[in-house]
Amino acid sequence: MISCSEFPNNWIKEILNMKNYEPIPEHLIIRQFEDFLYSSEIPPIKPIDIVLDKKVRYQTEGDKGSETSAVYCVHSDGYPAGYILSFRHSLVINWKFDIEALKQEKEYDALYKRVKTEEYRKQAEQIRLNNEQRDKQERINAAAKAKRIYNNASELTGNHAYLQRKQVRKHEGVKVLDGNLLIPLRNIKGE
């Protein structure tokens, strides 16, 4: 997670300069997402607390011991949205906040009307773009960190207990650092 001090200064200025921008209350976002999560194809196997604006791993059907093969993320700024995914089931399900639910809550009638304005839409879109830029930067930083760690590791000589236990032969490029295997992964672009 990036601290506020790592966000570009212009992003903070944009948020502070937004007029009439009132975020959707967190408890409403959490309630809607929780209903979505527990009724999805990838529900947690035990109750979990919903955390906003952070990727959170959780256990789902088929996980054993401390395995957590599912993850969710809910962005609470702008028009709240997020996703759940299961690595085990190769499944991703997107979610977005139902704005119409605000209309049903009398105390949020003014917010509902504001959310429907063009100004609010523009502000929410700017926040979405800022979040995308932040996420892109997080991925770039994570890739650079992984590359530094990999470059400082030693080539695996001989065999490793994990590979023996899994009955997998050593492949080219596998390294070891502090007893941990490091296996290089690349995206479709070869990065």
Side-chain angles (χ1 to χ4, degrees):
M1 186 101 173
I2 294 178
S3 70
C4 290
S5 63
E6 295 178 64
F7 284 118
N9 285 337
N10 63 341
W11 185 86
I12 294 170
K13 287 176 188 172
E14 287 172 19
I15 295 294
L16 295 175
N17 289 333
M18 289 184 179
K19 296 179 177 93
N20 298 324
Y21 179 77
E22 178 185 350
I24 294 171
E26 288 185 358
H27 73 278
L28 295 177
I29 299 168
I30 290 170
R31 185 173 65 201
Q32 267 195 33
F33 183 75
E34 198 169 53
D35 291 345
F36 166 76
L37 177 66
Y38 283 98
S39 64
S40 75
E41 298 171 54
I42 319 170
I45 57 175
K46 56 186 173 188
I48 59 173
D49 291 328
I50 303 301
V51 178
L52 301 178
D53 302 310
K54 184 178 178 185
K55 292 177 186 167
V56 178
R57 297 198 59 151
Y58 65 92
Q59 288 188 313
T60 190
E61 182 183 335
D63 288 345
K64 298 174 185 150
S66 62
E67 289 180 327
T68 52
S69 66
V71 65
Y72 75 81
C73 184
V74 180
H75 299 286
S76 64
D77 287 337
Y79 289 114
Y83 62 86
I84 56 176
L85 71 87
S86 171
F87 301 106
R88 177 175 307 284
H89 303 99
S90 300
L91 184 62
V92 178
I93 306 171
N94 292 316
W95 169 84
K96 67 180 182 177
F97 185 82
D98 179 9
I99 299 296
E100 295 302 312
L102 289 174
K103 192 162 60 168
Q104 299 167 2
E105 311 245 357
K106 197 163 190 80
E107 65 190 280
Y108 297 113
D109 192 48
L111 177 59
Y112 173 75
K113 289 175 183 164
R114 207 166 20 262
V115 166
K116 293 298 210 174
T117 66
E118 183 63 28
E119 180 184 21
Y120 194 95
R121 262 192 288 283
K122 286 178 183 176
Q123 292 169 346
E125 178 61 15
Q126 185 60 52
I127 289 169
R128 187 189 66 74
L129 292 172
N130 291 339
N131 286 339
E132 279 182 12
Q133 183 60 37
R134 181 196 65 217
D135 290 348
K136 181 179 178 182
Q137 189 60 50
E138 283 181 4
R139 287 191 298 276
I140 290 168
N141 293 345
K145 181 180 178 182
K147 190 172 184 175
R148 276 192 312 275
I149 292 169
Y150 180 80
N151 288 339
N152 289 325
S154 305
E155 289 290 328
L156 178 62
T157 57
N159 220 334
H160 189 275
Y162 179 81
L163 296 176
Q164 288 176 332
R165 192 169 58 251
K166 295 294 184 177
Q167 298 178 352
V168 176
R169 66 179 174 82
K170 177 188 164 239
H171 291 274
E172 187 176 326
V174 175
K175 291 187 175 187
V176 66
L177 181 68
D178 298 329
N180 296 307
L181 283 178
L182 302 178
I183 302 170
L185 300 175
R186 301 196 187 290
N187 65 17
I188 198 162
K189 298 175 189 172
E191 301 168 331

